[in-house]
């Protein structure tokens, strides 16, 4: 999130960082991604000494001269303001949608939160307008359960749906029309993801393989083979050059997205993998498992650097915050935990749910956590103290999916009994 916030702010100003060409009288322009140059940007918080941070940035990017420093200071101050937004606000129930005639399988927001999608056992995916609750499109064509769904965020102009009918479909958000149907898997598709550049979509299947598909041509690019059991989790790193797959064979595998070749396999868990993902700067990998542990791995060499323990039952979900400094785990034991990625120690334990926690996520600012549980509630927690700040009640069935939007001012929750709810900050 810090990367997106900072990059968006930089775009407003960095076009002015121009320099004269030695060959001509033309003015050349250079766009600078400071976050690739300065990891100090991840340390921005409410107490950051902005002047000192700008001095550090100038050491690695000479084009940011003294005459431009005030503008960069302004960017960082605006970032501080964004990080402080919504920190003490409560959410109120905004919409209740009976979305489908059969139970839901998944829900997902686009980046801004202006629209969202729902997948269902009724073989459709529906696109909804968040503000009005109006159904914009019904995406029809699958012949079995629509299980995995995703927007191509941050662009948000395409939707991918993966089905038990063994196919994945690519749709237009604007028109609701199907661009491509990706065929080739021999069993149910249960997970999918777009790469950050929105040029590829990856699908994971119960047939033990993952496949990469070209969005433009609709053709299969690679088949990733090597797992001996179902693939139930996959995600790209933020550079888009690596993809990780998690499997019921107790392993996760990292693949080169440019060649389709296996980079290494992460071996160490003694039960099925439930989640597998990279942190933001692509230096670490986090895997969660039914063996009640999470493991941290060095993303360069694939070696395990820590095992995170403490849960009394299966870990059902895990995630990094957007800076990669914090790790959250959710378990069937009804608790969640927050760990420091640096020390590998548990910072706090989240207690209060009366059933298993199947979903957990940080808000974009990283100071709040959202959990969804089989006890029919979602909860918002303080990420530092573990205090429950708000209980989101009213569902009549277990919550299997919940998420913040990009700004952190909208929450969506989905339950199996055909209902999803939207919460807004008041």
């Amino acid at each position: 999130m810090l990367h997106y916030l900072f990059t968006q702010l930089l775009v407003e100003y960095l076009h002015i960082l121009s320099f004269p060409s030695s060959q001509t009288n033309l003015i050349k322009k250079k766009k600078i991604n400071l976050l690739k140059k300065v990891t100090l940007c991840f340390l921005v918080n409410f107490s950051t000494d902005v002047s000192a941070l700008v001095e550090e940035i100038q050491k690695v990017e000479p084009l940011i001269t003294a005459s431009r420093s005030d503008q960069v200071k302004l960017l960082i101050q605006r970032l501080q303001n964004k990080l402080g937004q919504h920190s003490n606000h409560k959410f109120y129930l905004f919409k209740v949608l009976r979305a489908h005639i059969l139970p839901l399988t998944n829900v997902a927001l686009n980046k801004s939160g202006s629209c969202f999608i729902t997948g269902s056992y009724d073989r459709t995916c529906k696109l909804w307008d968040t503000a009005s609750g109006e159904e914009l499109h019904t995406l029809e064509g699958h012949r079995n359960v629509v299980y995995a769904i995703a927007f191509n965020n941050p662009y948000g102009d395409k939707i991918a749906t993966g089905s038990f009918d063994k196919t994945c479909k690519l749709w237009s958000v604007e028109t609701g029309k199907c661009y491509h149907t990706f065929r080739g898997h021999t069993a149910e598709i249960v997970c999918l993801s777009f790469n950050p550049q929105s040029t590829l979509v990856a699908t994971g299947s119960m047939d033990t393989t993952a496949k990469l598909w070209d969005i433009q041509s609709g053709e299969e690019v690679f088949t990733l083979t090597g797992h001996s059991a179902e693939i139930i989790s996959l995600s790209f790193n933020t550079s888009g050059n690596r993809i990780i797959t998690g499997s019921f064979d107790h392993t996760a595998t990292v693949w080169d997205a440019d060649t389709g070749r296996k980079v290494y396999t992460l071996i160490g868990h003694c039960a099925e993998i439930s989640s597998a993902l990279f942190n933001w700067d692509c230096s670490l990998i986090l895997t969660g498992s039914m063996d009640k542990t999470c493991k941290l791995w060095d993303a360069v060499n694939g070696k395990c650097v820590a095992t995170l323990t403490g849960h009394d039952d299966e870990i059902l979900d895990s995630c990094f915050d957007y800076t990669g400094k914090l790790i959250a785990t959710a378990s069937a034991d009804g608790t969640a935990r927050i760990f420091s990625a640096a020390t590998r120690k548990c910072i706090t334990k989240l207690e209060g749910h009366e059933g298993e926690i199947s979903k957990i996520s940080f808000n974009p600012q990283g100071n709040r956590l959202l959990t969804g549980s089989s006890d029919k509630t979602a909860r918002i927690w303080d990420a530092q103290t573990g205090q429950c700040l708000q209980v989101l009640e009213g569902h009549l069935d277990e919550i299997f999916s919940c998420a913040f939007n990009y700004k952190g001012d909208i929450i969506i929750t989905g339950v199996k009994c055909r209902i999803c709810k939207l919460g807004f900050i008041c």
Side-chain angles (χ1 to χ4, degrees), residues 35-141:
L35 288 181
K36 287 192 175 181
K37 295 176 176 289
V38 186
T39 57
L40 284 172
C41 294
F42 286 127
L43 302 179
V44 175
N45 56 43
F46 310 115
S47 60
T48 297
D49 184 331
V50 175
S51 296
L53 179 56
V54 171
E55 289 179 5
E56 293 298 321
I57 291 173
Q58 287 175 313
K59 290 178 182 178
V60 296
E61 184 45 71
L63 282 182
I64 301 178
T65 61
S67 63
R68 306 300 186 192
S69 62
D70 286 344
Q71 292 161 325
V72 177
K73 288 178 184 177
L74 177 62
L75 294 177
I76 296 174
Q77 288 166 350
R78 290 179 60 190
L79 175 57
Q80 285 178 315
N81 292 336
K82 282 181 176 288
L83 291 175
Q85 289 177 352
H86 316 314
S87 59
N88 297 313
H89 294 279
K90 295 283 187 179
F91 285 83
Y92 70 94
L93 180 61
F94 178 68
K95 293 284 184 183
V96 179
L97 300 178
R98 297 183 182 276
H100 293 266
I101 60 174
L102 290 178
L104 300 182
T105 58
N106 224 323
V107 296
L109 287 157
N110 69 347
K111 176 185 163 184
S112 68
S114 62
C115 60
F116 65 95
I117 48 178
T118 54
S120 172
Y121 280 85
D122 68 8
R123 305 182 180 186
T124 71
C125 174
K126 291 179 182 284
L127 175 67
W128 306 84
D129 179 82
T130 303
S132 66
E134 177 188 358
E135 180 184 318
L136 300 176
H137 300 297
T138 296
L139 310 182
E140 297 179 294

Side-chain angles (χ1 to χ4, degrees), residues 223-254:
T223 297
L224 312 180
T225 59
H227 283 294
S228 58
E230 299 91 333
I231 292 174
I232 51 83
S233 174
L234 58 78
S235 59
F236 286 91
N237 67 356
T238 49
S239 299
N241 64 336
R242 293 284 187 271
I243 184 171
I244 186 167
T245 54
S247 171
F248 278 179
D249 67 9
H250 306 182
T251 73
T253 297
V254 174

Side-chain angles (χ1 to χ4, degrees), residues 151-372:
F151 282 101
N152 64 330
N153 289 331
Y155 306 98
D157 63 335
K158 295 180 179 65
I159 295 166
T161 56
S163 171
F164 285 2
D165 68 8
K166 310 173 190 177
T167 72
C168 173
K169 290 180 181 286
L170 185 71
W171 311 81
S172 166
V173 168
E174 182 179 1
T175 66
K177 292 184 179 179
C178 182
Y179 289 119
H180 302 295
T181 298
F182 304 124
R183 306 179 190 276
H185 282 295
T186 58
E188 297 91 336
I189 293 174
V190 293
C191 54
L192 57 81
S193 178
F194 286 94
N195 67 342
Q197 297 78 18
S198 193
T199 57
L200 299 172
V201 63
T203 53
S205 171
M206 303 293 276
D207 67 10
T208 77
T209 73
K211 291 179 181 286
L212 301 184
W213 311 87
D214 185 282
I215 287 175
Q216 191 66 33
S217 68
E219 299 297 321
E220 180 183 320
V221 180
F222 300 117
T223 297
L224 312 180
T225 59
H227 283 294
S228 58
E230 299 91 333
I231 292 174
I232 51 83
S233 174
L234 58 78
S235 59
F236 286 91
N237 67 356
T238 49
S239 299
N241 64 336
R242 293 284 187 271
I243 184 171
I244 186 167
T245 54
S247 171
F248 278 179
D249 67 9
H250 306 182
T251 73
T253 297
V254 174
W255 312 80
D256 187 315
D258 296 325
T259 65
R261 294 179 180 175
K262 183 188 299 184
V263 180
Y264 48 70
T265 296
L266 309 179
I267 300 174
H269 283 294
C270 54
E272 294 91 336
I273 303 294
S274 57
S275 60
L277 65 158
F278 294 87
N279 67 346
W280 181 259
D281 69 3
C282 310
S283 62
L284 291 172
I285 293 168
L286 176 66
T287 55
S289 172
M290 303 298 183
D291 67 10
K292 309 177 187 178
T293 74
C294 278
K295 289 182 181 289
L296 272 178
W297 311 79
D298 186 311
V300 175
N301 55 32
K303 293 183 178 179
C304 182
V305 296
T307 299
L308 309 181
T309 61
H311 283 293
D312 298 323
D313 208 335
E314 300 169 345
I315 290 181
L316 303 179
D317 195 23
S318 60
C319 63
F320 288 102
D321 73 346
Y322 290 92
T323 68
K325 297 189 331 188
L326 297 176
I327 295 164
T329 59
S331 172
D333 66 13
T335 72
R337 292 172 184 262
I338 302 174
F339 295 84
S340 164
T343 67
R344 283 68 154 154
K345 302 296 184 182
C346 181
I347 297 172
T348 187
K349 184 179 179 181
L350 313 183
E351 297 180 285
H353 279 297
E354 298 177 356
E356 66 180 31
I357 302 173
S358 59
K359 193 67 178 178
I360 191 165
S361 60
F362 284 93
N363 70 343
Q365 292 83 3
N367 61 348
R368 299 288 183 264
L369 268 169
L370 174 65
T371 55

